[in-house]
Amino acid sequence: KHVLALSGGVGGAKLAAGLAATVSPQDLTLVVNTGDDFEHLGLTICPDIDSVAYALADLNDTSRGWGVKDESWQAMAMLRSLGEADWFNLGDRDLGTHIARSWRLRQGDSLSQITARLTRALGIAHAIVPMSDAPVRTQVGTAGGWLDFQRYFVKEQCRPVATGVRFSGALRAAPSPAFAAALESQDLGAIVICPSNPYLSVDPILSLPGVWEALRHRRVPVVAVSPLVGGASLKGPLGKLLAELGRPVSNASIADHYGDLLDHIIIDSADAADAGGLQERGLSVTVTPTVMCAAGDRERLARVALSAAGIET
Ligand code: FO1
Ligand code: CA
């Protein structure tokens, strides 16, 4: 049976790595958010694709949570001394990825082709695919207008109060060829929504034309791993964002958000008290530790998610 996983960066990338350690390459499609992508200093940067790729290649920096391990910052220091923008940190090794990707895009290759090439070169056997080959840009509404995601997230450190989220270009962006193929696969056995921010990281994927309907109309279990732990976001602005958008910071909001798409939700042991309310909504619920520190944690959670979908591993 084929597994389709939807992922953002960081938290999502950890489960993606767990799934890759559990499911054989031909049976897994990892579809990654590209709403966080942006153009910076002439380069096209795809943070979530890179987070997933670096995690699978065991190149990810686990303390920062993004970028490459054993990184150096010489290029950044030079850029700074040249008076160029220095609010987005580009490590020397990581820069190689951005240069290769930007160069290939300029040669006319698609983001799917480039991602396949880069991941293969990193020794990754599993398919990491962008949600779309067309640019989609997540923007956060603030009192000062719409901010591009990385300006909101990194430059402004999520300080502005968010009034909304939109995905510029999504309505014109088709799912990438490999994503479309997985959605239509006769062999599809499970859809896993990784523990990424539903509003910022998963919604861009779901907002592509036809994706929500395609996922809902497949008679395939949809399993989400909640990104909340102990009623708060483990990392990132989910808690702050939920509060600003007027929703409770709880698993009920996560379930509400995915609505009738969702069949099963996996919540952290610290939130065991949420299970009853979620079951009353008709969801099946698994309560288990969801914080992934070691490789063993990632694999274990991947197995829990797959077994919730009825897939034997
Ligand atoms: N996050 C930061 O908070 N500060 C940075 O300077 C930064 C640089 C960066 C460079 C490459 C990359 O792939 C990711 C980077 N991130 C940085 C993380 C990124 O903004 C977020 O992880 C994702 O967009 C959210 O999923
Ligand atoms: Ca369903």
Side-chain angles (χ1 to χ4, degrees):
K1 282 288 182 187
H2 200 86
V3 177
L4 169 59
L6 312 181
S7 180
V10 210
K14 290 186 185 178
L15 187 63
L19 288 166
T22 312
V23 181
S24 63
Q26 69 273 15
D27 291 335
L28 179 64
T29 303
L30 297 167
V31 171
V32 183
N33 171 42
T34 57
D36 292 11
D37 296 7
F38 76 132
E39 283 69 37
H40 187 61
L41 298 169
L43 301 169
T44 299
I45 296 168
C46 304
D48 286 355
I49 289 178
D50 291 347
S51 290
V52 173
Y54 293 153
L56 264 65
D58 201 18
L59 278 173
N60 55 318
D61 186 288
T62 47
S63 54
R64 267 197 318 279
W66 48 268
V68 183
K69 66 183 177 186
D70 303 324
E71 190 56 282
S72 58
W73 304 93
Q74 299 289 330
M76 205 64 214
M78 189 67 182
L79 281 166
R80 195 168 288 128
S81 70
L82 294 171
E84 298 296 352
D86 65 355
W87 58 270
F88 195 80
N89 294 289
L90 298 169
D92 298 334
R93 303 183 76 194
D94 190 33
L95 261 173
T97 302
H98 309 314
I99 292 169
R101 171 184 296 121
S102 306
W103 158 245
R104 294 284 166 188
L105 280 169
R106 213 153 298 158
Q107 293 298 300
D109 292 356
S110 70
L111 187 58
S112 289
Q113 291 170 323
I114 295 164
T115 306
R117 181 189 166 94
L118 293 178
T119 52
R120 212 177 310 120
L122 292 176
I124 298 167
H126 292 80
I128 298 174
V129 307
M131 66 184 197
S132 178
D133 283 333
V136 176
R137 297 295 179 255
T138 298
Q139 297 175 322
V140 178
T142 70
W146 290 96
L147 275 183
D148 288 338
F149 179 77
Q150 296 299 342
R151 290 197 174 261
Y152 164 78
F153 188 79
V154 176
K155 190 157 193 254
E156 303 294 334
Q157 299 282 299
C158 307
R159 274 183 303 257
V161 172
T163 54
V165 179
R166 70 179 185 189
F167 311 112
S168 173
L171 295 180
R172 280 167 281 126
S176 64
F179 184 15
L183 285 171
E184 284 160 22
S185 165
Q186 289 313 302
D187 204 31
L188 189 63
I191 296 155
V192 177
I193 303 179
C194 293
S196 296
N197 186 318
Y199 294 86
L200 294 175
S201 300
V202 183
D203 255 11
I205 306 176
L206 300 177
S207 71
L208 298 172
V211 167
W212 182 285
E213 294 74 16
L215 291 172
R216 201 158 61 96
H217 289 137
R218 295 301 310 251
R219 284 210 184 80
V220 166
V222 177
V223 178
V225 178
S226 174
L228 295 176
V229 175
S233 49
L234 197 56
K235 200 161 193 266
L238 176 59
K240 180 174 182 283
L241 192 72
L242 277 170
E244 290 168 358
L245 297 178
R247 323 243 156 108
V249 187
S250 77
N251 279 310
S253 294
I254 308 296
D256 267 344
H257 192 69
Y258 292 133
D260 60 4
L261 199 61
L262 202 58
D263 300 299
H264 193 112
I265 188 164
I266 298 173
I267 62 173
D268 192 79
S269 307
D271 301 309
D274 294 352
L278 294 165
Q279 279 158 348
E280 276 164 29
R281 292 163 181 262
L283 287 171
S284 69
V285 181
T286 302
V287 181
T288 191
T290 62
V291 181
M292 294 169 276
C293 298
D297 303 338
R298 299 195 288 260
E299 263 187 74
R300 191 195 57 83
L301 192 58
R303 287 182 198 280
V304 169
L306 293 169
S307 103
I311 296 213
E312 299 307 323
T313 57

